[in-house]
């Protein structure tokens, strides 16, 4: 009986080895065909496939080469946050007041203090929407008997420092919705939207879409040819009130354009004050506080975010850069010595360093992959995915990864960079990462080439 058992184990091992060798040969052949493409003549490519259970390398080429990972880096940030903070972690935003309540009047200020919740004012959940938040504030004031405020709405984001953007983000990105900066007090994913009417040569801004009086929009857009789409870029800097719109807006386009809010706390303070004023609370002012000690006040109520498990889902599914940067700074605040992005990166690198992934393998400057200066190896990325496969929160993590080409994988795209990482094989037993930097031709063409190559993992 014992001999029969040992023989069966031996046979299973032989079969497993044979299957691995067969896959290796299949991938080697497909990779040679892929890499021979003229569009990759000047490109740098890295590719790694690991057995998700054992962590053993199944196939790899240039697996230690540092390449720009683009948004595939988000899986690293997500896995780190799930492991250190836990899937049930939530943010809290405190609403309080200063001064005294005399009759139905608050002679003081309404204080809203943030701790980094990226979902506050987001329309992705009903309970986080601006309408819900504003109505909750109104309801709690009314429950307190307050019908008028002689003071201001102060949005307090001083829990974090004022360095809202990671080092390395480019000027062409930071004014657009996907380049929104971080804040201890976010509002509507730190973005707002404008609508336009294109003419023969110029593009007119619909004034009705201008919701913030403290912003000055300089419209330098011109009409693009029919079918040319959205080539609009916004240029602004944190805490400024100046936004310049440049580029083209197709003459047949009907699309709102998303911009980043230079000062999210100020936008929230304005929206709250405006809402209360329209509900008869008087002529309330508004103000943002971004530095110094937090304002102490009398507690009114707290706003709790959705759990991290749900935040991670949208983070990966819709590739929301802001969520990654907020999570990174949250890691810094919980496990580091400050709340900065740099400290968050130190926490992240120390964490993976203890698991055998060196800082050189994850030479990164942000948590979302937007910086073109980021460098990571495909082997490191595949190791992170293999590690995640063994964790109790894996189902949450796996659910967050989008489906591309009928494969569960996160994509990443910045200028001349296209990358994918995820899971493949029967039972999703393979973790993989591929990065292509400096390819020639269109993104669409390169994506189709990658899809055909990655079919070899099915």
């Amino acid at each position: 009986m014992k001999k029969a058992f040992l023989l069966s184990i031996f046979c299973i091992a032989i079969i497993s080895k044979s299957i691995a060798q067969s896959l290796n040969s299949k991938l080697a052949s497909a990779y040679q065909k892929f890499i021979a493409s003229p569009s990759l003549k000047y490109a740098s490519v890295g590719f790694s496939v690991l057995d998700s259970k054992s962590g053993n390398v199944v196939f790899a080429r240039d697996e230690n080469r540092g390449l720009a990972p683009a948004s595939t880096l988000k899986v690293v940030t997500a896995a780190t946050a799930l492991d250190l903070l836990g899937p049930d972690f939530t943010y809290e935003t405190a609403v309080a007041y200063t001064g005294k309540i005399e009759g139905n009047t608050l002679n003081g200020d309404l204080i809203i203090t943030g701790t980094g919740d990226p979902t506050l004012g987001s329309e992705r959940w009903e309970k986080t929407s601006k309408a819900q938040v504003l109505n909750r504030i109104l309801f709690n004031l009314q429950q307190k008997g307050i019908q008028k405020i002689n003071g201001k709405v102060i949005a307090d984001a001083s829990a974090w420092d004022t360095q809202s953007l990671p080092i390395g983000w480019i000027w062409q990105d930071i004014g657009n919705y996907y380049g929104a900066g971080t804040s201890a007090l976010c509002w509507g994913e730190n973005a707002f939207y404008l609508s336009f009417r294109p003419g023969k040569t110029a593009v007119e801004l619909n004034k009705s879409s201008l919701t913030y009086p403290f912003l000055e929009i300089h419209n330098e857009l011109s009409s693009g040819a029919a079918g040319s789409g959205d080539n609009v870029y916004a240029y602004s800097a944190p805490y400024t009130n100046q936004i310049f719109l440049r580029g083209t807006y197709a003459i047949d386009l009907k699309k709102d354009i998303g911009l980043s809010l230079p000062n999210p706390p100020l936008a929230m303070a304005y929206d709250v004050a405006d809402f209360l004023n329209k509900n008869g609370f008087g002529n309330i002012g508004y103000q943002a506080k971004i530095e110094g000690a937090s304002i102490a006040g009398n507690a009114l109520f707290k706003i709790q975010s959705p759990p991290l498990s749900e935040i991670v889902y949208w983070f990966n599914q819709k590739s929301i850069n802001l969520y990654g940067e907020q999570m990174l700074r949250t890691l810094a605040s919980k496990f580091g010595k400050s709340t900065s992005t740099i400290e968050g990166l130190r926490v992240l690198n120390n964490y993976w360093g203890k698991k055998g992934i060196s800082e050189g393998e994850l030479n990164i400057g942000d948590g979302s992959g937007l910086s073109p200066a980021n460098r990571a190896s495909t082997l490191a990325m595949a190791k992170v995915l293999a590690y995640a496969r063994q964790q109790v929160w894996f189902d949450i993590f796996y659910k967050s990864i989008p489906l591309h080409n009928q494969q569960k994988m996160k994509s990443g795209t910045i200028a001349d960079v296209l990358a994918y990482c995820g899971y493949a094989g029967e039972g999703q037993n393979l973790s993989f990462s591929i990065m292509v930097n400096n390819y020639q031709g269109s993104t669409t063409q390169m994506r189709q080439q990658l899809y055909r190559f990655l079919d070899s993992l099915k």
Side-chain angles (χ1 to χ4, degrees):
M1 182 67 72
K2 185 176 180 181
K3 288 182 179 180
F5 175 75
L6 292 174
L7 181 60
S8 65
I9 294 295
F10 177 74
C11 289
I12 291 171
I14 292 295
I15 292 170
S16 298
K17 185 177 181 180
S18 176
I19 292 172
Q21 289 174 340
S22 175
L23 178 59
N24 185 287
S25 298
K26 180 182 176 183
L27 290 172
S29 176
Y31 185 79
Q32 285 305 311
K33 183 178 179 180
F34 171 69
I35 205 71
S37 169
S39 59
L40 299 178
K41 182 176 180 179
Y42 306 107
S44 296
V45 181
F47 181 51
S48 296
V49 182
L50 303 184
D51 183 307
S52 293
K53 293 182 179 180
S54 66
N56 293 333
V57 175
V58 174
F59 182 86
R61 291 293 185 272
D62 289 321
E63 66 273 20
N64 291 314
R65 177 173 293 180
L67 298 168
S71 281
T72 62
L73 183 62
K74 289 179 170 67
V75 301
V76 179
T77 306
T80 310
L82 285 170
D83 223 19
L84 288 178
L85 297 172
D88 297 327
F89 172 82
T90 57
Y91 294 88
E92 282 190 344
T93 301
V95 182
Y97 63 93
T98 61
K100 293 183 179 180
I101 301 172
E102 298 177 333
N104 65 355
T105 302
L106 170 62
N107 291 309
D109 298 323
L110 184 68
I111 313 297
I112 305 168
T113 304
T115 60
D117 180 5
T119 72
L120 194 66
S122 171
E123 301 301 319
R124 299 182 197 280
W125 296 265
E126 183 180 356
K127 74 172 187 177
T128 66
S129 68
K130 289 182 180 180
Q132 285 281 0
V133 172
L134 294 173
N135 278 301
R136 282 194 66 191
I137 291 172
L138 175 62
F139 175 78
N140 279 275
L141 287 170
Q142 292 172 336
Q143 288 292 100
K144 203 73 175 177
I146 300 171
Q147 297 177 12
K148 186 177 180 180
I149 297 177
N150 288 328
K152 295 173 290 190
V153 174
I154 301 177
D156 189 351
S158 60
W160 289 4
D161 66 39
T162 59
Q163 179 64 47
S164 64
L165 296 173
I167 296 170
W169 281 19
I170 64 174
W171 180 237
Q172 194 175 30
D173 288 338
I174 62 177
N176 304 291
Y177 75 95
Y178 58 84
T182 60
S183 178
L185 190 60
C186 294
W187 186 236
E189 296 182 358
N190 295 355
F192 70 108
Y193 291 81
L194 298 177
S195 62
F196 301 89
R197 291 193 303 272
K200 289 184 178 180
T201 57
V203 178
E204 185 178 343
L205 172 65
N206 287 325
K207 294 293 198 289
S208 60
S209 64
L210 283 171
T211 54
Y212 296 112
F214 51 84
L215 293 177
E216 293 184 23
I217 309 295
H218 301 267
N219 180 16
E220 300 175 6
L221 296 174
S222 58
S223 294
S228 61
D230 166 19
N231 289 290
V232 178
Y233 290 93
Y235 295 87
S236 66
Y239 312 116
T240 185
N241 67 336
Q242 306 285 323
I243 300 177
F244 292 82
L245 302 178
R246 295 172 182 146
T248 60
Y249 185 95
I251 196 165
D252 60 342
L253 190 62
K254 295 180 180 179
K255 173 187 176 183
D256 290 349
I257 302 297
L259 282 63
S260 64
L261 280 169
N263 193 335
L266 186 62
M268 184 187 190
Y270 170 81
D271 281 343
V272 173
D274 183 61
F275 179 76
L276 293 176
N277 289 336
K278 289 175 179 176
N279 279 275
F281 272 67
N283 188 23
I284 308 170
Y286 62 95
Q287 175 186 329
K289 187 177 186 301
I290 60 172
E291 55 188 348
S294 295
I295 301 172
N298 303 297
L300 193 60
F301 73 104
K302 290 184 177 180
I303 303 170
Q304 192 171 55
S305 76
L308 183 65
S309 57
E310 295 181 22
I311 296 173
V312 164
Y313 174 82
W314 287 112
F315 173 48
N316 279 329
Q317 283 286 323
K318 295 299 181 181
S319 211
I320 308 169
N321 295 322
L322 175 67
Y323 285 14
E325 305 313 327
Q326 293 290 123
M327 280 189 273
L328 195 61
R329 294 193 69 174
T330 302
L331 290 172
S333 69
K334 299 294 183 183
F335 304 101
K337 300 177 182 178
S338 72
T339 62
S340 70
T341 295
I342 291 175
E343 184 66 6
L345 290 167
R346 189 189 68 79
V347 171
L348 183 147
N349 279 314
N350 284 346
Y351 173 78
W352 290 108
K354 293 176 181 177
K355 300 183 186 306
I357 300 176
S358 70
E359 190 170 337
E361 294 180 86
L362 288 174
N363 183 17
I364 56 177
D366 65 26
S368 64
L370 186 60
S371 172
N374 286 323
R375 294 294 180 269
S377 73
T378 58
L379 182 58
M381 298 292 290
K383 284 180 179 178
V384 170
L385 290 166
Y387 173 80
R389 185 72 176 81
Q390 307 304 317
Q391 308 311 307
V392 294
W393 41 260
F394 175 70
D395 287 346
I396 292 167
F397 180 76
Y398 183 75
K399 183 181 177 182
S400 78
I401 297 175
L403 189 67
H404 296 287
N405 193 38
Q406 299 305 306
Q407 291 170 294
K408 290 286 280 187
M409 54 188 185
K410 183 75 187 77
S411 65
T413 309
I414 53 177
D416 301 324
V417 171
L418 189 56
Y420 287 95
C421 70
Y423 298 94
E426 187 177 349
Q428 305 298 329
N429 62 311
L430 301 175
S431 62
F432 70 90
S433 169
I434 186 166
M435 301 179 200
V436 180
N437 288 193
N438 198 43
Y439 60 86
Q440 305 296 299
S442 72
T443 301
T444 300
Q445 291 172 331
M446 179 49 59
R447 180 174 291 113
Q448 291 307 313
Q449 288 184 54
L450 273 166
Y451 281 178
R452 286 193 295 272
F453 167 61
L454 293 173
D455 281 343
S456 60
L457 286 169
K458 293 180 177 177

